[in-house]
């Protein structure tokens, strides 16, 4: 039961990441901006990554009981560094998506401003 309770926070995080990802997908369908789809995929992948990370940590803690303290420390360090690299990639992709959304020009902005004729 203790092992299952450790999944509570990552599962809650994944649930909210899925909700936010769906909201970004709706934003993509409404505005046709690639930044929204990029943010949606980043949020969905981040939620799944949290569960995978916790699964690996639980595997080392609860199912590899024969490991020494130094071997567990090495596994935790490896898991942490790999997932840190993955999250840095997510942060860069999310930042790119946000920049694409902020600097997106709508159709009304791309058309010239119609000025009334001077009489």
């Amino acid at each position: 039961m203790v092992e299952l309770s450790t999944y509570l926070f990552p599962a809650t995080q994944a649930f909210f990441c899925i909700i936010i990802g769906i909201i970004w997908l709706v934003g993509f369908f409404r505005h046709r901006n690639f930044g929204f789809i990029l943010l949606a995929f980043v949020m969905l992948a981040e939620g799944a990554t949290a569960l995978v990370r916790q699964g690996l940590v639980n595997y080392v803690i609860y199912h590899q009981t024969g490991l020494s303290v130094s071997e567990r420390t090495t596994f935790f360090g490896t898991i942490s560094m790999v997932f840190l690299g993955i999250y840095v990639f997510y942060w860069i992709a999310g930042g790119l998506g946000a920049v694409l959304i902020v600097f997106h020009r709508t159709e009304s902005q791309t058309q010239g401003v119609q000025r009334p004729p001077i009489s």
Side-chain angles (χ1 to χ4, degrees):
M1 189 63 183
V2 175
E3 181 183 359
L4 291 177
S5 67
T6 60
Y7 285 105
L8 185 61
F9 176 72
T12 305
Q13 181 182 1
F15 175 72
F16 285 110
C17 284
I18 288 170
I19 290 174
I20 294 170
I22 290 171
I23 291 170
W24 286 118
L25 279 173
V26 169
F28 169 72
F29 289 125
R30 289 192 67 210
H31 299 287
R32 298 284 187 237
N33 186 343
F34 183 71
F36 284 108
I37 196 88
L38 187 61
L39 282 174
F41 287 137
V42 166
M43 290 305 297
L44 295 173
E46 187 176 347
T49 304
L51 285 173
V52 169
R53 179 186 47 84
Q54 189 63 44
L56 287 172
V57 168
N58 282 353
Y59 179 75
V60 171
I61 292 173
Y62 296 108
H63 300 289
Q64 295 292 325
T65 55
L67 294 177
S68 67
V69 174
S70 63
E71 290 172 331
R72 284 186 187 205
T73 304
T74 303
F75 279 129
F76 288 142
T78 303
I79 291 169
S80 299
M81 294 310 285
V82 167
F83 280 98
L84 177 64
I86 292 171
Y87 278 114
V88 166
F89 172 74
Y90 290 161
W91 296 331
I92 291 170
L96 177 64
V99 167
L100 289 174
I101 290 171
V102 168
F103 292 114
H104 178 72
R105 295 184 64 123
T106 61
E107 291 178 10
S108 63
Q109 290 175 334
T110 57
Q111 297 173 354
V113 177
Q114 299 293 330
R115 297 183 183 192
I118 298 174
S119 43

